[in-house]
Amino acid sequence: GRPVLDRDHGHIRLLEPFSRKERLLILGGGHVGLALAEFAAKTGFSVYVADDRPSFANQLRFPWAEEVYCMDFPAAIQAFQPDTQDYIAVLTRGHRHDADCLTALSRCPVSTYLGMIGSRRRGKEVKTHLEETEHLSHEWLESIHTPIGLAIKAVTPEEIAISILAELILTKRTLRPDHIAPSDADLDVIAALADPPANRTDLKKALVTIVETKGSTPRKAGANMIVYEDGTVFGTIGGGCMEAEVLRKARVMMHENNTGLKTEYVDMTGDDAEEE
């Protein structure tokens, strides 16, 4: 799940893992769902929203969502077809809808993250009801994040959305034996390489990729950026003096028509690096 350099008989290959964006299914288009959709989309999640009320489930209300489903929750879950890599937030307006969502989700593959909004008492009541009436697995029910989000004493819908997003990111960035750690690759950079803008097509370019890091660094392995011969960049490997120096060396390579691969080592542990 991490980029590696493979050296073999004088050849150097960079092996990079790629996967689709993490999908987040938000079940409930209320105030918290609205804020979560915006924040999650801006932090790299591919957002899908479902609600059974037309005034709450429409693209005008959720411009950041890939798709918005206006249908009952079990039908939306069936349309979404959750898999093991998905993140799901149950943010409905009541017990009955929570129960409908969890019953439908119990028939799907176990997702990477499943959380349900509500107090501890509400969560316990819903889970006890489903275990007794629908005979859902006690272990599966106990794995649900409820109350949803990190405990940061959030009050407003926006604060609650941030607490949920923080838990999503924590889950995303935590390596588990059954889960591939996401690369820090910027898929927008890869897209710009595959389909460059018209005003960039004829420019020389260098691709800069972080292959390995140790300790605390601004970006991790997989992070990448494009350096164009005119000095403009797309993407970032962390910013600051370190990025500026790498940018300079990339432009020198292009000026010298060096089409090979160059490895740079950056030490960020010294007093000067710490100061910068």
Side-chain angles (χ1 to χ4, degrees), residues 133-240:
T133 60
E134 300 293 334
H135 308 293
L136 300 191
S137 163
H138 176 78
E139 289 73 22
W140 180 77
L141 289 168
E142 287 303 307
S143 71
I144 298 170
H145 296 261
T146 184
I148 195 171
L150 298 185
I152 60 172
K153 300 188 183 298
V155 176
T156 67
E158 291 77 15
E159 290 176 348
I160 295 170
I162 288 172
S163 77
I164 297 170
L165 182 59
E167 193 167 55
L168 294 177
I169 294 172
L170 178 63
T171 303
K172 173 182 175 180
R173 296 298 182 182
T174 302
L175 179 63
R176 303 197 311 269
D178 60 339
H179 181 66
I180 295 176
S183 166
D184 209 9
D186 186 340
L187 296 185
D188 290 334
V189 171
I190 305 303
L193 285 173
D195 186 18
N199 62 344
R200 308 274 92 183
T201 303
D202 296 328
L203 290 178
K204 292 180 182 178
K205 62 183 73 70
L207 176 63
V208 182
T209 304
I210 296 180
V211 216
E212 187 177 28
T213 64
K214 183 178 181 180
S216 177
T217 57
R219 297 293 301 273
K220 299 299 181 183
N224 43 34
M225 73 175 184
I226 303 171
V227 179
Y228 295 99
E229 62 178 318
D230 63 0
T232 57
V233 300
F234 186 75
T236 178
I237 55 169

Side-chain angles (χ1 to χ4, degrees), residues 89-164:
V90 179
L91 309 177
T92 78
R93 60 190 182 277
H95 283 23
R96 179 170 61 86
H97 299 293
D98 293 340
D100 288 345
C101 288
L102 295 185
T103 301
L105 290 168
S106 70
R107 305 187 184 104
C108 301
V110 177
S111 57
T112 295
Y113 175 93
L114 173 57
M116 181 177 69
I117 201 168
S119 65
R120 292 186 185 280
R121 181 178 64 81
R122 171 178 166 177
K124 184 176 181 180
E125 288 175 355
V126 171
K127 290 192 288 186
T128 300
H129 169 74
L130 290 175
E131 188 173 355
E132 292 176 352
T133 60
E134 300 293 334
H135 308 293
L136 300 191
S137 163
H138 176 78
E139 289 73 22
W140 180 77
L141 289 168
E142 287 303 307
S143 71
I144 298 170
H145 296 261
T146 184
I148 195 171
L150 298 185
I152 60 172
K153 300 188 183 298
V155 176
T156 67
E158 291 77 15
E159 290 176 348
I160 295 170
I162 288 172
S163 77
I164 297 170

